[in-house]
Amino acid sequence: LCTLLALWLLSGLFAPITTPVRVGLLLVIGLAAVARDLEWISVHLPQAARQIPREVLQDGPVRGAWQFGFALGTCVRTFMTGSAPYVVGAAIILLRPRPVEVAIAAAGVALGRTLPVIQAIGADRERMFTDMTMAQRHLTVVTAVLTLCCFVALAAAAAV
């Protein structure tokens, strides 16, 4: 929510650009993201390509969990393997939705960032890693196709 609200505040800078141009930019970004996730193109995303340090968790169970959750949730201190959060950020900047819609988008990003952590609790880590590696490619393709469908719907709605 912090990250998307910050992006929402920056979205005012794009207000002078006409809506069709902003929607077109978002479609280009979305199509590039889908192509990247399908490995049709190679694009390096801006990210902190490192893991959250273990020291964060050594501050005690409550404080460590809060720090870890904040670092993971803000998406600025850890790996981002998929393009979807970047597309959500671009949509916030370019479309400037209402704050409640920003909160809903933030909940979706948070859920996507939280599921692997929840899955890892008490799991056989080696098997989980193998299963996730096998499933990741399929999930990436499904996510990319769904994202593309959403952008087609957005383009159709903007054309009306």
Side-chain angles (χ1 to χ4, degrees):
L1 185 60
C2 293
T3 302
L4 292 185
L5 283 176
L7 294 176
W8 181 76
L9 289 173
L10 291 173
S11 69
L13 298 173
F14 292 85
I17 301 172
T18 64
T19 301
V21 171
R22 286 185 281 136
V23 169
L25 284 171
L26 186 58
L27 285 171
V28 169
I29 291 168
L31 290 172
V34 169
R36 180 198 174 274
D37 285 346
L38 293 173
E39 298 178 355
W40 293 346
I41 62 172
S42 176
V43 176
H44 295 285
L45 300 173
Q47 65 177 334
R50 61 186 180 273
Q51 293 183 343
I52 299 170
R54 287 184 176 224
E55 294 80 37
V56 167
L57 297 174
Q58 294 174 353
D59 287 341
V62 175
R63 186 170 183 205
W66 276 105
Q67 288 178 341
F68 181 84
F70 188 78
L72 185 69
T74 55
C75 303
V76 295
R77 195 173 177 188
T78 187
F79 287 102
M80 297 285 292
T81 56
S83 302
Y86 293 96
V87 175
V88 171
I92 299 297
I93 289 174
L94 293 171
L95 300 181
R96 193 152 206 235
R98 295 175 297 182
V100 68
E101 295 164 339
V102 173
I104 291 169
V109 171
L111 179 63
R113 297 288 284 167
T114 303
L115 285 177
V117 175
I118 292 171
Q119 212 175 16
I121 296 173
D124 174 4
R125 305 217 192 240
E126 187 64 34
R127 179 174 169 98
M128 186 188 74
F129 179 76
T130 303
D131 291 346
M132 286 177 67
T133 301
M134 290 176 18
Q136 183 176 8
R137 178 71 180 149
H138 299 294
L139 290 173
T140 299
V141 170
V142 168
T143 303
V145 170
L146 289 174
T147 303
L148 183 58
C149 291
C150 289
F151 281 109
V152 169
L154 178 65
V160 173

